[in-house]
Amino acid sequence: MRYRLTTLTPTLVGDGRKLSPIDYMVWKDHVNVLDQWRIFRLLSKGPRLEGYLSQLKKADKLDFASWGGFAQNFAGRRIPFENGAYSNYWNRAMGESLFIPTFAAGASGPYLPAAALKGALRTGMVFANWRDGMLQDTAARVKGERVPRRPAEAVEEQALGPAGSNKMRLISAGDSGVVAPSQFKIYLLRTSTLQPRGPNFALGWKQSPRGAVDGNRPEDSTPSFAEMAVPGAVFEGNWDEKSFYLHPEVRRSVRWPEGFNRAKVFEAVNVYAHGLLSVQRQYASWAGLGLLDQSLDQLEQRLAAARENGACLLCLGWGGGLTAKTAWLDTTNADYRNILQAYTIYNRALASNLPFPKTRRIVFLNNKPATLPGWAELSVAE
């Protein structure tokens, strides 16, 4: 069997690597990734190598006036910006904004790691199999002197089963095949935030290292850039289902419910996707992001069609934030907030009394805040 994952919004599944601003140059609205070894070999034949190495050590980005010819003649890849206006934003940006996370790639080219796919499926399964009392059990585990690193590990086991009979053992997926470089672009993202305004909320855009600007001036906020698969990109790979687990005797021994199969897994993921989209639409309403709400409405329509066709919608990869990575979506729950308060990283956000989390990474399309990253449709062909 083969799976087919079709991206619905710009998607980045990375391997932890980023393009440093001395690894590329922006020229003609493209990120031109330099072939540094070719450049070193060329410069080693003359007196310019020392000056080039000196700039690599000290500069935030390469001086285009001195080294711009490399972007034209020594680029291993040329990745276009989604919109030509982003070149100007890049020229004004500084610091961490200039490091561009890239899509996972091997020697043959970019591909989708199966681990990201299985992780998104697992999150949906845990959400759909959540039972009363699990959250309270997790809250009790964080009350000791030493807070556990993975307080919900036991909850996952209750939802999916222990290692030998874990429901996710039914399915397995391999890394996708290589996809064409033309399926990727450099997208602009900005981080939105909610700000109190009387009884309601107002939209703001985050600035680095702190603070926010008015929601009507996103161009004054701190941008980030990422190499992402374009909507409509297709990743295909091997899919396997262990029918051994579906024999009645085996099913009883591992205590799986009757009728459990891939369709049940996909339905669980779709239930989670529906809940997540509802949460995101509420955020879009609070923030007054009309284009984002339209995008989420289209995703809900796509979800309904996927359910009819035996497929599922999931959110995976970079940029989704905590909301898209947790199997608990009701962030107003007192037990849930007590769990988060045990971890100091969340204390400041919780103390603001604003909806948690109050920020989202928003993908800009045609220089307008339009959608959320990482949404895709998964189907399996017999």
Side-chain angles (χ1 to χ4, degrees):
M1 291 187 288
R2 302 278 292 176
Y3 71 79
R4 181 184 181 92
L5 185 125
T6 305
T7 58
L8 305 177
T9 65
T11 300
L12 167 59
V13 178
D15 51 12
R17 291 183 292 184
K18 294 182 179 181
L19 289 175
S20 161
I22 60 174
D23 290 329
Y24 67 90
M25 301 186 79
V26 172
W27 180 62
K28 288 190 174 180
D29 298 329
H30 282 63
V31 168
N32 296 267
V33 184
L34 302 177
D35 187 338
Q36 296 287 20
W37 289 112
R38 285 184 63 199
I39 293 173
F40 291 155
R41 284 196 296 268
L42 172 71
L43 296 182
S44 66
K45 299 175 182 179
R48 301 185 69 195
L49 179 60
E50 185 174 344
Y52 184 69
L53 293 176
S54 177
Q55 184 161 146
L56 291 182
K57 290 180 181 179
K58 300 178 181 179
D60 290 332
K61 62 177 83 171
L62 289 173
D63 177 21
F64 196 89
S66 301
W67 311 105
F70 291 160
Q72 305 170 46
N73 302 311
F74 294 92
R77 286 195 300 153
R78 291 183 169 87
I79 317 169
F81 281 114
E82 184 268 332
N83 185 283
Y86 303 161
S87 294
N88 293 328
Y89 296 138
W90 183 90
N91 287 327
R92 298 201 305 264
M94 300 292 291
E96 191 65 25
S97 301
L98 303 177
F99 288 80
I100 301 177
T102 57
F103 209 92
S108 300
Y111 69 96
L112 175 73
L117 185 60
K118 287 292 293 287
L121 293 173
R122 183 182 180 90
T123 300
M125 279 288 289
V126 173
F127 174 85
N129 287 279
W130 201 279
R131 298 291 180 265
D132 291 340
M134 288 183 176
L135 191 66
Q136 291 74 19
D137 291 344
T138 305
R141 290 190 183 92
V142 302
K143 291 181 179 179
E145 294 183 4
R146 185 173 181 179
V147 180
R149 292 184 62 187
R150 300 184 61 187
E153 189 170 19
V155 167
E156 289 190 32
E157 186 171 306
Q158 292 178 51
L160 302 178
S165 58
N166 190 294
K167 294 183 179 68
M168 295 304 294
R169 291 175 67 91
L170 173 67
I171 58 177
S172 63
D175 295 343
S176 79
V178 173
V179 297
S182 59
Q183 298 297 301
F184 299 90
K185 291 182 179 180
I186 301 294
Y187 285 87
L188 169 71
L189 299 95
R190 299 182 189 273
T191 302
S192 67
T193 186
L194 295 177
Q195 302 181 104
R197 179 170 292 175
N200 301 313
F201 303 108
L203 172 66
W205 296 99
K206 297 289 285 185
Q207 278 187 319
S208 181
R210 62 180 57 186
V213 298
D214 185 81
N216 295 321
R217 295 187 290 114
E219 64 278 2
D220 294 335
S221 64
T222 302
S224 61
F225 302 91
E227 180 191 24
M228 311 180 87
V230 300
V234 174
F235 299 85
E236 295 182 330
N238 292 326
W239 179 273
D240 184 44
E241 297 176 10
K242 300 177 179 62
S243 57
F244 165 79
Y245 283 101
L246 301 183
H247 291 289
E249 302 82 7
V250 177
R251 188 193 300 274
R252 285 193 294 271
S253 66
V254 296
R255 299 181 179 180
W256 286 6
E258 290 294 329
F260 179 73
N261 53 22
R262 183 216 313 157
K264 296 293 185 182
V265 175
F266 277 19
E267 180 56 26
V269 175
N270 284 329
V271 169
Y272 175 71
H274 176 76
L276 180 57
L277 287 171
S278 298
V279 169
Q280 305 292 33
R281 291 202 73 175
Q282 177 65 74
Y283 182 89
S285 175
W286 283 332
L289 289 167
L291 286 178
L292 175 58
D293 189 63
Q294 292 177 28
S295 170
L296 295 170
D297 180 62
Q298 292 170 5
L299 288 173
E300 287 185 338
Q301 296 177 31
R302 190 66 178 258
L303 173 61
R307 280 178 151 166
E308 294 181 0
N309 298 326
C312 68
L313 252 64
L314 38 77
C315 186
L316 72 169
W318 176 88
L322 177 66
T323 308
K325 299 295 186 293
T326 179
W328 183 269
L329 296 178
D330 181 11
T331 60
T332 63
N333 182 280
D335 289 318
Y336 178 76
R337 296 177 79 88
N338 288 336
I339 294 169
L340 294 181
Q341 285 172 354
Y343 298 86
T344 55
I345 189 175
Y346 299 115
N347 288 350
R348 184 176 177 183
L350 293 172
S352 68
N353 292 320
L354 291 170
F356 178 85
K358 65 178 181 178
T359 61
R360 298 290 192 278
R361 272 200 179 100
I362 308 296
V363 182
F364 279 56
L365 301 177
N366 293 319
N367 203 22
K368 295 180 180 180
T371 190
L372 297 174
W375 283 93
E377 179 179 286
L378 174 66
S379 60
V380 175
E382 300 289 345

